[in-house]
Amino acid sequence: GNDLSDNPDLIDYVGCGEVKFSYFTGKHMFTLKGRGNISTGNGAIEATYSYPLIKDVYLYGKIFSGYGESLIDYNNYITKFSIGFSFSR
């Protein structure tokens, strides 16, 4: 069923709605994603960038700020920058 005993307040932090915008210019891809819970004021914002290096391998960067970047610490507010490679967009 709907057993919420593990994370009963998850929706309070990560919210129940999300909006994402993607923008391509040439080979560059930018995204901006936001989600949140209006009643608690919690949520997160994320911006990403990717650029193709070779076939199916992309340089990838991400800035995240808010709640719920991972389920382990969904109720801790974090801001972090990540850089690496991705195999899809």
Side-chain angles (χ1 to χ4, degrees):
N2 292 329
D3 182 14
L4 298 176
S5 61
D6 288 341
N7 301 322
D9 59 350
L10 180 65
I11 299 294
D12 293 343
Y13 289 94
V14 300
C16 53
E18 177 177 285
V19 64
K20 180 178 179 180
F21 299 98
S22 297
Y23 178 73
F24 288 87
T25 179
K27 295 181 179 182
H28 306 270
M29 184 181 89
F30 300 89
T31 68
L32 182 62
K33 179 170 67 172
R35 60 178 157 74
N37 184 319
I38 294 171
S39 64
T40 63
N42 295 330
I45 191 161
E46 176 183 284
T48 68
Y49 168 77
S50 69
Y51 184 82
L53 297 175
I54 59 174
K55 183 176 170 37
D56 297 327
V57 178
Y58 304 88
L59 176 65
Y60 182 81
K62 177 174 90 169
I63 298 171
F64 178 92
S65 187
Y67 293 95
E69 205 270 337
S70 74
L71 283 177
I72 293 172
D73 61 358
Y74 72 92
N75 57 354
N76 293 320
Y77 188 97
I78 63 166
T79 299
K80 75 180 197 179
F81 174 73
S82 305
I83 191 163
F85 303 97
S86 67
F87 301 103
S88 70
R89 285 183 154 174

